[in-house]
Amino acid sequence: MKLQDVLLKAMAKKISWADAAEIIGVSGRTMRRWRERMEEGGYSGLADRRKGQPSARRVPLQTVEQVLALYQETYYDLNIRHFHEKLRDQHAIELSYTWVQRALQGAGLVARKETRETSAPPRTAAASGHAAAHRWEQTPLVWGSTLA
């Protein structure tokens, strides 16, 4: 059953809103919020309200251009880690190392690290050191004797 069908049945009072929440797999509170949003704005009220809005953590275009220009013009001979330190210490640009790395790689200024493909054989219990793989030998114990 589609989400729209479940909501229509709940609106038509063929099923309860609690049953609709259980069918959809959401909490009762979420279903109440959805019902209120549907009453106010119809199905468009259920659309994700964040769409069309830029992320609050988005880096301004001017900063991106400045970072790329600094690397191309001044710090082209540094690796990513040292360039990141220069950005932070000398230019007061506080960006994460990963963001700087992805920006430089995405712009084609730094080569991406090659991924290794390994052709390792599948691990067995013996190779992993698992106790079940070892052969246990029973030593005969004789009462009263000492082992040398």
Side-chain angles (χ1 to χ4, degrees):
M1 195 181 296
K2 291 184 179 181
L3 176 68
Q4 184 178 8
D5 296 337
V6 175
L7 294 175
L8 284 173
K9 286 187 179 188
M11 288 173 62
K13 297 186 180 180
K14 291 186 178 181
I15 60 174
S16 69
W17 286 101
D19 291 340
E22 188 175 331
I23 292 170
I24 296 170
V26 297
S27 68
R29 176 67 181 137
T30 299
M31 185 55 69
R32 287 192 298 276
R33 288 182 180 140
W34 286 5
R35 183 178 65 194
E36 291 169 5
R37 286 170 51 186
M38 277 183 54
E39 289 171 356
E40 292 172 6
Y43 282 112
S44 60
L46 291 178
D48 188 358
R49 291 183 260 173
R50 295 174 297 169
K51 281 189 174 179
Q53 295 180 3
S55 170
R57 296 174 50 136
R58 187 179 200 148
V59 177
L61 182 61
Q62 182 181 4
T63 306
V64 175
E65 291 173 344
Q66 182 182 5
V67 167
L68 296 177
L70 280 169
Y71 187 79
Q72 286 177 312
E73 298 165 4
T74 311
Y75 301 111
Y76 56 87
D77 55 342
L78 295 181
N79 64 23
I80 300 171
R81 182 160 314 282
H82 292 130
F83 176 61
H84 178 255
E85 290 173 2
K86 293 280 186 187
L87 285 175
R88 187 185 61 227
D89 298 340
Q90 294 183 1
H91 299 280
I93 297 176
E94 295 287 333
L95 296 170
S96 71
Y97 171 83
T98 305
W99 187 94
V100 172
Q101 178 185 28
R102 288 181 181 162
L104 294 175
Q105 289 175 345
L109 301 175
V110 175
R112 285 185 165 86
K113 194 173 187 179
E114 292 184 23
T115 58
R116 281 190 325 155
E117 288 188 28
T118 60
S119 58
R123 291 183 59 137
T124 61
S128 66
H130 193 271
H134 298 291
R135 188 166 170 227
W136 294 94
E137 297 180 15
Q138 290 184 347
T139 56
L141 292 177
V142 181
W143 291 101
S145 66
T146 59
L147 297 174

